[in-house]
Amino acid sequence: MFIEELVESVQGVTAELGQAAIWLSVLSAIWAIGALLIGLRQRNTQIVRSGRNAVIATFILITIATGALIFGFVTDDFSMMYVVEVSSAAQPLLYKITALWGAMSGSLLLWLWILTIAGAIVVWQNKNASDTLADYALIPIAIVQLFFIIVVTGLIEGVYNPLARFPDGIVMPDGRGMNPLLQTPSMAIHPPTLYIGWICLTVPFAFAVAALMSGRIGSDWTLRSRRWMLFSWIVLTIGITLGGHWAYQELGWGGYWAWDPVENASFMPWLLGTAYLHSVMIQEKRNMLKLWNVLLITLAFQFTLLGTFITRSGIITSVHSFAQSDVGWYFFGFILASTAGVIALVVHRWQRLKSANRLESLLSRESAFVMNNWLLVGLTLIILWGTLWPIISEAIQGEKAAVPESFFNKVVIIPGLLLLFLTGAGPIISWKKITPNNFRRMFVSPILIGLGAAAVAWVFLAFRANAAIEVTTIPSKAIGVIGGAVEATIQVATDAIISAVGIVTKNPIPIYSLLCVFASAFVLVAIFREFYRGAKLRAKRQESSFLNGLWLLIQRNKRRYGGYIIHIGIVIVYIGIMGSKGYFLLKSDYLKLGDSMVVGTYQLTMKDTFEEEHENYLRRGVVFDVEKDGQQETTMKPARHYYDQAEQADEEQGTIESAIHAIGLNDLYIALGPLPAKIDTDTNFNVQVYHNPLIKVVWIGVAVMVLGGIIAIAQKSDPNPRSQTA
């Protein structure tokens, strides 16, 4: 009784305390911007220190506000509008806490909180710095914080303060509950992970702006922000993968990536961040691309805001997006204003941004990295065009035209394969230019082994499917003259090969699968040979074992060899995508109890139905016996969940809960269509079954990429960057 009274008394003030903290943070953010600007201009360390303290104060205030909202969720304070919107008394504790990012107002507060944490860390990391670069970086960080604070206060139409109460002391008996699709372990981790990855891009961007403001256009700002950029890249990789895994498990379509607008919004900053991580090495090693790196990190940051605009404006339909509101257009305005500010600074520092060196040869590591950059930026623009096409088409034609998944799958193939090849070519080609002897020594054996692997894959697939090579048709209207020319060139070459070898077959093998095998083998041979040669040399010098030499090699240059491990992970992901996207098997049918269906080498028999009561939902589904070659393989139970209290488009259909059975690196996947209220022996169940080959390889590849990133981020920044081999 005492505890309940204490909770009620605390509930009476927490929301007001949180709102007061948000309003005070407006003042602290303004103070931080003003004090830092004045202090740096006057070279007054006391005023600068006051600005730093204001950044810390903003973090403390927003932490208080966030804690107050979480307290409201945990204690079921249904006098708070946001708690009622996304929580309920029956909701499990985990999902009461994760309801913080269950809708727009709370997700913006979470974004702001993480941003203030990043600002506080920058202050802490540079508290003993003898220069002012970090202090200049705190200014754009505080400006971004101020923008989000103003949004969270509720002053902008379309979003209300997440700590606001109902008027006239109204207290609701219960909440509506969080969207059932968000009540999964993956979605408890995926959104904040993605937010952290996005938000941490603010820090490298802030250091780039700081370099422009202070005039220190060297490699200092890239070195200060290197770990932030790598951390952002690692976390974004994890966040994007968790989102794909959630879609795979919860949406019942057997896939993990559909080029949804919000998926694209998370992927585009990742592509630009990847380009920056490569191009910044050219600046550190060769004192080139200074302007390009500033623009690239600016684009990466702006695309995080663009993703927020897409998800919150309602202008594009997505399973991930929030309700339509005007707040997205404020984000768009902030994108334009901040971009204009960077352009003004670039014009001001134009002379200092000129490169000291130039490309000396097309066959050099610099050229490979530049090509990598253009491909990554080009991919980003292609994806952006497809993502924004509904808006563009509505402006031109008066109605929104949806862009199918097939468009993206087709137009990204060629640049994607070129990027895959460059992950192997880039690390083994030398700086400045490569000699003919070096080219033969470094490239001939990987190319020959790659061609051999492609030939083996061709024979294997042709033997299995009695197939010839076929080029996937790429719509010329979608990709323009260049895409059409590339398609025509490949088709002519393919026809010539088929005519030369005289193959007459029935079913097609996509040429792109063979190119993927060639590029994958090339990359793996090139990178493993780098590891082998380096480890062998280390072992010989230390008179130790090969494994010890390998360990010493990685320890000596974590950044370089961590990057190589990332490239190995990328190859593994490509192989997994090729298998799971190119060769999956789908069968859809209507079955009654006792009926069977055959999928590949498996026979599935519907044996029974079941119904289970859970804390806040009802689980209903069917039981399948799965046999292979007449032997019992497993039992699978696809189902639907029906939540007691939840906002969803059609509560009668429930959420899809797929049954997934791992078969080595492959998955057998069953999803159910809508279930009738009453089930009997004559009920027809809509059943979809997928056999997804190599799906596990995708997740393994991402894990290897993350491992490589962790190794690379452990490298301490070299005060003499030109001594660091990229």
Side-chain angles (χ1 to χ4, degrees):
M1 188 68 178
F2 170 76
I3 294 177
E4 291 179 359
E5 291 177 354
L6 179 62
V7 169
E8 288 180 2
S9 62
V10 175
Q11 279 181 342
V13 297
T14 50
E16 287 70 20
L17 179 64
Q19 289 188 65
I22 290 174
W23 284 106
L24 286 172
S25 68
V26 174
L27 301 178
S28 65
I30 293 173
W31 183 272
I33 297 166
L36 288 167
L37 281 170
I38 295 170
L40 289 167
R41 185 175 180 81
Q42 297 181 357
R43 299 183 181 180
N44 188 316
T45 56
Q46 294 297 322
I47 298 177
V48 169
R49 189 176 295 112
S50 174
R52 293 179 186 175
N53 292 337
V55 173
I56 299 295
T58 304
F59 157 67
I60 293 171
L61 290 167
I62 297 303
T63 299
I64 291 171
T66 306
L69 183 56
I70 293 174
F71 181 80
F73 280 122
V74 173
T75 60
D76 295 328
D77 187 353
F78 297 123
S79 67
M80 298 171 66
M81 292 191 291
Y82 187 68
V83 174
V84 171
E85 181 182 357
V86 292
S87 186
S88 68
Q91 204 159 286
L93 178 61
L94 172 64
Y95 300 126
K96 287 182 179 179
I97 296 173
T98 60
L100 173 64
W101 51 87
M104 185 183 300
S105 297
S107 68
L108 290 171
L109 178 60
L110 174 66
W111 186 296
L112 173 59
W113 183 46
I114 297 171
L115 183 59
T116 62
I117 293 173
I121 292 173
V122 171
V123 172
W124 175 76
Q125 284 180 328
N126 297 275
K127 60 182 182 295
N128 298 321
S130 58
D131 57 37
T132 57
L133 188 63
D135 295 319
Y136 276 104
L138 288 173
I139 295 172
I141 290 174
I143 291 172
V144 178
Q145 288 177 355
L146 179 61
F147 170 74
F148 275 91
I149 291 168
I150 292 172
V151 172
V152 168
T153 57
L155 290 174
I156 292 177
E157 187 177 353
V159 58
Y160 62 85
N161 190 308
L163 289 144
R165 295 190 189 274
F166 286 103
D168 303 323
I170 295 174
V171 179
M172 295 295 180
D174 203 350
R176 293 194 291 268
M178 189 163 59
N179 187 326
L181 289 174
L182 302 181
Q183 296 190 44
T184 66
S186 292
M187 290 304 284
I189 306 171
H190 162 59
T193 305
L194 208 57
Y195 286 179
I196 292 169
W198 275 352
I199 293 161
C200 286
L201 282 172
T202 306
V203 177
F205 165 73
F207 272 100
V209 174
L212 294 172
M213 293 174 68
S214 63
R216 294 172 57 185
I217 316 295
S219 293
D220 287 350
W221 74 270
T222 65
L223 293 173
R224 292 284 187 90
S225 60
R226 185 183 71 84
R227 283 186 169 178
W228 280 98
M229 188 65 239
L230 269 171
F231 178 75
S232 173
W233 185 90
I234 292 167
V235 176
L236 267 178
T237 302
I238 295 171
I240 292 169
T241 305
L242 286 172
H245 192 263
W246 168 80
Y248 183 63
Q249 288 191 316
E250 299 298 327
L251 299 184
W253 59 292
Y256 49 87
W257 191 264
W259 300 104
D260 178 271
V262 178
E263 290 176 340
N264 296 345
S266 65
F267 189 45
M268 288 185 287
W270 185 91
L271 289 172
L272 294 170
T274 304
Y276 170 80
L277 286 171
H278 287 83
S279 67
V280 77
M281 288 190 283
I282 303 178
Q283 179 174 341
E284 294 173 8
K285 181 71 177 181
R286 299 273 288 124
N287 198 21
M288 297 166 57
L289 302 185
K290 290 186 286 187
L291 173 60
W292 174 250
N293 286 323
V294 169
L295 296 179
L296 200 54
I297 194 61
T298 300
L299 275 177
F301 167 73
Q302 301 295 7
F303 267 73
T304 66
L305 298 180
L306 180 66
T308 310
F309 163 69
I310 289 172
T311 57
R312 288 166 174 81
S313 63
I315 61 172
I316 298 177
T317 303
S318 166
V319 69
H320 304 77
S321 60
F322 294 96
Q324 183 171 353
S325 74
D326 294 332
V327 71
W329 294 102
Y330 288 94
F331 276 89
F332 188 67
F334 186 69
I335 291 171
L336 295 179
S338 54
T339 302
V342 172
I343 292 172
L345 287 170
V346 165
V347 172
H348 179 60
R349 302 294 185 186
W350 184 258
Q351 292 300 320
R352 296 193 184 188
L353 287 166
K354 291 182 178 180
S355 295
N357 299 300
R358 296 182 180 276
L359 291 175
E360 297 182 17
S361 171
L362 291 176
L363 292 177
S364 64
R365 189 173 298 187
E366 298 96 305
S367 295
F369 283 177
V370 168
M371 187 179 296
N372 162 284
N373 268 226
W374 281 109
L375 286 169
L376 287 167
V377 172
L379 266 177
T380 303
L381 294 177
I382 290 170
I383 295 169
L384 178 65
W385 175 263
T387 303
L388 298 182
W389 178 247
I391 307 172
I392 299 168
S393 63
E394 185 176 29
I396 297 173
Q397 302 172 354
E399 60 180 58
K400 290 184 178 181
V403 179
E405 179 187 351
S406 58
F407 165 82
F408 294 100
N409 289 336
K410 290 171 181 175
V411 298
V412 304
I413 289 176
I414 293 173
L417 288 173
L418 288 172
L419 281 169
L420 177 59
F421 179 80
L422 286 173
T423 60
I428 64 175
I429 197 169
S430 58
W431 293 101
K432 295 186 179 180
K433 61 182 177 180
I434 188 171
T435 64
N437 282 337
N438 284 337
F439 180 84
R440 286 193 295 269
R441 181 170 55 87
M442 303 301 294
F443 279 87
V444 170
S445 58
I447 288 174
L448 290 176
I449 293 173
L451 289 172
V456 170
W458 187 354
V459 171
F460 173 74
L461 292 174
F463 177 77
R464 285 190 61 187
N466 188 25
I469 299 177
E470 178 190 62
V471 177
T472 305
T473 302
I474 303 178
S476 298
K477 290 182 180 179
I479 61 175
V481 176
I482 295 177
V486 171
E487 178 191 354
T489 302
I490 293 177
Q491 185 66 63
V492 169
T494 302
D495 292 342
I497 293 171
I498 293 173
S499 299
V501 298
I503 294 178
V504 179
T505 53
K506 298 176 182 178
N507 302 314
I509 299 172
I511 182 80
Y512 299 121
S513 294
L514 300 182
L515 290 174
C516 183
V517 171
F518 161 74
S520 298
F522 169 84
V523 174
L524 292 177
V525 171
I527 293 177
F528 280 128
R529 193 171 64 173
E530 287 290 293
F531 274 104
Y532 176 77
R533 291 172 57 216
K536 188 176 180 180
L537 183 61
R538 288 280 168 194
K540 184 177 180 180
R541 287 178 180 176
Q542 300 293 325
E543 296 182 353
S544 61
S545 66
F546 176 81
L547 288 177
N548 187 59
L550 182 62
W551 172 257
L552 292 173
L553 181 74
I554 296 173
Q555 287 294 311
R556 166 95 177 166
N557 198 332
K558 299 183 184 73
R559 181 180 183 181
R560 177 180 183 177
Y561 291 98
Y564 287 176
I565 293 171
I566 291 172
H567 287 189
I568 293 171
I570 290 171
V571 172
I572 296 171
V573 169
Y574 266 79
I575 294 170
I577 292 173
M578 179 188 69
S580 59
K581 283 284 189 179
Y583 299 99
F584 77 91
L585 179 64
L586 163 66
K587 187 168 184 180
S588 179
D589 206 349
Y590 283 89
L591 302 179
K592 296 179 181 179
L593 288 176
D595 288 349
S596 297
M597 65 188 301
V598 177
V599 179
T601 58
Y602 296 91
Q603 178 172 301
L604 288 72
T605 304
M606 187 182 292
K607 288 293 188 181
D608 201 359
T609 63
F610 67 90
E611 190 172 293
E612 301 169 354
E613 288 280 355
H614 290 263
E615 187 175 358
N616 67 326
Y617 65 87
L618 174 68
R619 179 181 176 91
R620 301 173 66 211
V622 298
V623 179
F624 281 95
D625 280 349
V626 181
E627 295 181 353
K628 182 178 181 180
D629 300 328
Q631 299 295 320
Q632 178 78 15
E633 173 79 17
T634 187
T635 299
M636 300 179 68
K637 297 181 177 181
R640 290 236 170 189
H641 286 181
Y642 301 87
Y643 285 78
D644 299 332
Q645 288 176 292
E647 284 191 347
Q648 49 186 319
D650 190 342
E651 296 184 10
E652 294 182 358
Q653 291 191 7
T655 61
I656 301 170
E657 303 298 324
S658 306
I660 304 172
H661 173 63
I663 309 164
L665 297 174
N666 311 328
D667 275 352
L668 189 64
Y669 181 110
I670 308 177
L672 290 180
L675 299 178
K678 184 179 180 181
I679 297 174
D680 54 37
T681 55
D682 293 324
T683 300
N684 274 320
F685 297 87
N686 178 228
V687 180
Q688 292 185 327
V689 183
Y690 301 82
H691 181 252
N692 292 324
L694 301 185
I695 184 70
K696 293 290 190 299
V697 175
V698 176
W699 317 129
I700 293 170
V702 172
V704 174
M705 289 170 63
V706 171
L707 173 63
I710 292 171
I711 293 172
I713 205 174
Q715 177 79 50
K716 293 182 179 179
S717 295
D718 193 331
N720 181 17
R722 298 193 185 193
S723 69
Q724 190 66 259
T725 304

